[in-house]
Amino acid sequence: TKDIGKIEPDFVRSFQFENKLLPLTWVVVRIDGCHFHRFSDVHEFEKPNDEQALKLMNSCAVAVLEEFEDILFAYGVSDEYSFVLKKESELYKRQSSKIISAIASLFTSTYVIKWRDFFPHKELKYPPSFDGRAVCYPTYEILLDYLAWRQVDCHINNQYNTCFWMLVNESKKPEAEAQARLNAQACLKGTQTREKMELLSREFKIEYNSLPLIFRMGSSVFRLKEAAAVENGVVSGKKLEGQVVVDHCNIIERCFWEEHPHILS
Ligand code: ATP
Ligand code: ATP
Ligand code: MG
Ligand code: MG
Ligand code: MG
Ligand code: MG
């Protein structure tokens, strides 16, 4: 056996590499479900959008903001969530591996614990996992571009998926045929967005803009600046200052950020 007295801690430690995120930059940690295409199949998510699955994701993001004060804002769509840390954050001395793993593991364990609240009649068949990455954005402008990019992605995917599942479910087209038709359309007529909205309206009498906001806008999570009364159908209540809330805002338009300057400051 090895003489443990001969281990030199400084030498062993010297193999750890520095992984500090650039100081005074906006840190965005984006987590994404691993193999959620399969996970959503196995758990029979509604297609194209399972609202309960999205609400479960949102509730995990709220838990993450409640745990980490340095996270100012989060944006989620599908199986992903982006968390924005304040520029000055010194969370884990800005060591990226610690920040990413702490956020991804809290999110994942919350997902498992809360599963029953959102799917009381569905068994969780195997443990989900999420991977994560961190990116530093040097300016406020680029940070807003990043967030707008994720919401643009939400629109593009949602329009494609809504058309795809309408062709499959309503027109009873095989999945390959629906995919081929949408891809051909995208190649022929550059203006993808308008074409898809027209297809939905013409063939399925669906106005894309009347689909639920949570599907079209994704979900934004942040702290309330001041207390507010809320009317939610029959339930009325009060939200407190600093409470973490979920909304489905247009974060592509800069006016959202001009009207809510407190969120990122
Ligand atoms: P990877 O491990 O590379 O991320 P993935 O299978 O998770 O692979 P993504 O590009 O992350 O691929 O896409 C997530 C997939 O999960 C979507 O394409 C969709 O099929 C499914 N999905 C996620 N959330 C929902 C939801 N709320 N309703 C329906 N399907 C969903
Ligand atoms: P940090 O977040 O910095 O890691 P920590 O409280 O987790 O803080 P560690 O240095 O990781 O601190 O130590 C883990 C602590 O958890 C131990 O000091 C001990 O108190 C407790 N602990 C962990 N595993 C056990 C166990 N199997 N039995 C009893 N206590 C345990
Ligand atoms: Mg991934
Ligand atoms: Mg995924
Ligand atoms: Mg994804
Ligand atoms: Mg510990």
Side-chain angles (χ1 to χ4, degrees), residues 58-59 61-63 65-66 72-75 81 219-228 230 238-249 256 260 262-263:
N58 294 348
S59 126
V62 168
L65 261 81
E66 284 172 345
L72 302 179
F73 182 80
Y75 176 72
Y81 243 102
S219 301
S220 294
V221 183
F222 51 89
R223 292 181 188 79
L224 273 189
K225 186 187 175 203
E226 48 199 21
V230 279
K238 196 169 188 292
K239 289 195 168 151
L240 305 174
E241 182 192 333
Q243 189 174 335
V244 178
V245 294
V246 180
D247 205 348
H248 313 291
C249 327
F256 173 78
H260 300 83
H262 74 279
I263 294 178

Side-chain angles (χ1 to χ4, degrees), residues 60-76:
C60 297
V62 168
V64 169
L65 261 81
E66 284 172 345
E67 176 69 23
F68 297 102
E69 256 181 50
D70 282 3
I71 301 178
L72 302 179
F73 182 80
Y75 176 72

Side-chain angles (χ1 to χ4, degrees), residues 32-36 79:
D32 185 282
C34 301
H35 313 298
F36 259 50
D79 67 339

Side-chain angles (χ1 to χ4, degrees), residues 6-62:
K6 285 198 180 135
I7 295 175
E8 292 177 55
D10 286 345
F11 176 69
V12 178
R13 227 191 315 266
S14 72
F15 287 82
Q16 294 185 25
F17 64 96
E18 274 289 323
N19 64 96
K20 297 237 174 139
L21 295 160
L22 199 65
L24 296 176
T25 53
W26 300 95
V27 174
V28 176
V29 174
R30 182 168 75 250
I31 60 158
D32 185 282
C34 301
H35 313 298
F36 259 50
H37 191 76
R38 167 160 178 260
F39 184 85
S40 64
D41 267 355
V42 169
H43 294 91
E44 297 174 326
F45 282 10
E46 274 176 37
K47 293 291 178 176
N49 291 297
D50 189 298
E51 189 165 354
Q52 285 306 105
L54 294 173
K55 287 182 170 167
L56 171 56
M57 292 285 292
N58 294 348
S59 126
C60 297
V62 168

Side-chain angles (χ1 to χ4, degrees), residues 7-208:
I7 295 175
E8 292 177 55
D10 286 345
F11 176 69
V12 178
R13 227 191 315 266
S14 72
F15 287 82
Q16 294 185 25
F17 64 96
E18 274 289 323
N19 64 96
K20 297 237 174 139
L21 295 160
L22 199 65
L24 296 176
T25 53
W26 300 95
V27 174
V28 176
V29 174
R30 182 168 75 250
I31 60 158
D32 185 282
C34 301
H35 313 298
F36 259 50
H37 191 76
R38 167 160 178 260
F39 184 85
S40 64
D41 267 355
V42 169
H43 294 91
E44 297 174 326
F45 282 10
E46 274 176 37
K47 293 291 178 176
N49 291 297
D50 189 298
E51 189 165 354
Q52 285 306 105
L54 294 173
K55 287 182 170 167
L56 171 56
M57 292 285 292
N58 294 348
S59 126
C60 297
V62 168
V64 169
L65 261 81
E66 284 172 345
E67 176 69 23
F68 297 102
E69 256 181 50
D70 282 3
I71 301 178
L72 302 179
F73 182 80
Y75 176 72
V77 46
S78 180
D79 67 339
E80 72 169 59
Y81 243 102
S82 297
F83 296 93
V84 181
L85 278 82
K86 66 178 184 195
K87 277 211 311 271
E88 304 77 13
S89 179
E90 280 299 329
L91 184 63
Y92 295 115
K93 303 198 178 106
R94 293 181 85 89
Q95 293 180 81
S96 66
S97 58
K98 287 213 173 192
I99 295 175
I100 298 163
S101 57
I103 290 176
S105 73
L106 177 63
F107 191 96
T108 308
S109 56
T110 306
Y111 193 98
V112 172
I113 285 198
K114 293 198 174 200
W115 175 268
R116 279 174 69 98
D117 298 347
F118 291 86
F119 295 109
H121 306 296
K122 260 184 210 177
E123 183 200 356
L124 180 59
K125 298 214 168 112
Y126 65 88
S129 56
F130 290 81
D131 62 32
R133 72 194 71 188
V135 180
C136 296
Y137 291 102
T139 68
Y140 183 70
E141 280 302 306
I142 303 176
L143 173 68
L144 298 193
D145 284 348
Y146 167 81
L147 294 169
W149 170 54
R150 296 323 301 149
Q151 193 167 50
V152 166
D153 214 53
C154 167
H155 281 300
I156 292 172
N157 289 330
N158 192 41
Q159 278 166 353
Y160 182 91
N161 292 336
T162 307
C163 288
F164 177 84
W165 287 102
M166 274 309 200
L167 289 170
V168 172
N169 291 338
E170 302 294 315
S171 317
K172 306 285 175 217
K173 286 198 193 304
E175 295 191 11
E177 196 179 313
Q179 193 180 358
R181 174 161 171 200
L182 288 172
N183 290 347
Q185 183 198 51
C187 291
L188 285 173
K189 314 169 178 163
T191 53
Q192 308 182 19
T193 295
R194 209 193 59 227
E195 295 298 330
K196 286 202 184 62
M197 284 166 61
E198 281 171 10
L199 184 143
L200 282 176
S201 160
R202 186 177 63 239
E203 296 193 23
F204 305 109
K205 305 285 171 276
I206 289 182
E207 292 312 320
Y208 179 76

